[in-house]
């Protein structure tokens, strides 16, 4: 069984910063790409950023220049550093990971439970 546990969400004023963390644990052989998504009230879940195990990064245009993604492979943890936050960044942020449970098997996608980020204007 694999769990993704997110932390670091909360309430922050516009222009402020937050750092989200997501740690994968369980019977893991290796973790491939790790991603952050977000879902605002009444909207579809949208991609924010991802990072491969080798450090290759993709970031949504809506947050580029304000958010950075990083990971610690030894800890199977991904981070999202969010700066210059805006009210439109308010959402539940979800972590996603491609996890290989058994060598030579395909990866399985796991999601975290989500962490609320609220930006007050």
């Amino acid at each position: 069984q694999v769990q993704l546990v997110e932390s670091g969400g909360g309430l922050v004023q516009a222009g402020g910063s937050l750092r989200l963390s997501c740690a994968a644990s369980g019977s893991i052989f290796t973790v491939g790409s790790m991603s952050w998504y977000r879902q605002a009230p009444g909207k579809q879940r949208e991609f924010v950023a991802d990072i491969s195990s080798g450090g290759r990064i993709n970031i949504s245009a809506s947050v580029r220049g304000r958010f950075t993604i990083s990971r610690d492979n030894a800890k199977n943890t991904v981070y999202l550093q969010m700066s210059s936050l805006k009210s439109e960044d308010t959402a539940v942020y979800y972590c996603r990971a491609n996890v290989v449970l058994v060598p030579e098997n395909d990866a399985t996608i796991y999601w975290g439970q989500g962490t609320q980020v609220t930006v007050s204007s």
Side-chain angles (χ1 to χ4, degrees):
Q1 188 73 4
V2 174
Q3 285 189 318
L4 299 184
V5 178
E6 298 124 332
S7 60
L11 174 64
V12 64
Q13 288 189 333
S17 300
L18 280 176
R19 189 193 194 208
L20 306 182
S21 299
C22 172
S25 64
S27 300
I28 296 171
F29 173 67
T30 189
V31 180
S33 65
M34 301 184 81
S35 313
W36 289 98
Y37 286 72
R38 66 185 182 185
Q39 188 167 17
K43 295 187 177 181
Q44 290 189 331
R45 190 172 298 188
E46 66 171 355
F47 169 81
V48 176
D50 68 14
I51 182 168
S52 71
S53 57
R56 186 173 184 177
I57 290 172
N58 293 299
I59 295 184
S60 168
S62 64
V63 303
R64 193 173 297 139
R66 300 188 297 120
F67 291 11
T68 59
I69 187 171
S70 61
R71 66 187 285 171
D72 183 333
N73 289 335
K75 297 180 180 179
N76 289 330
T77 299
V78 63
Y79 306 96
L80 186 68
Q81 178 67 49
M82 305 184 293
S83 303
S84 302
L85 283 160
K86 307 175 182 179
S87 58
E88 51 263 45
D89 295 317
T90 294
V92 177
Y93 284 72
Y94 296 91
C95 171
R96 187 186 102 157
N98 288 6
V99 179
V100 177
L101 305 178
V102 179
E104 300 182 0
N105 274 21
D106 291 337
T108 301
I109 295 173
Y110 290 89
W111 290 88
Q113 80 286 354
T115 185
Q116 177 70 46
V117 172
T118 303
V119 183
S120 63
S121 56

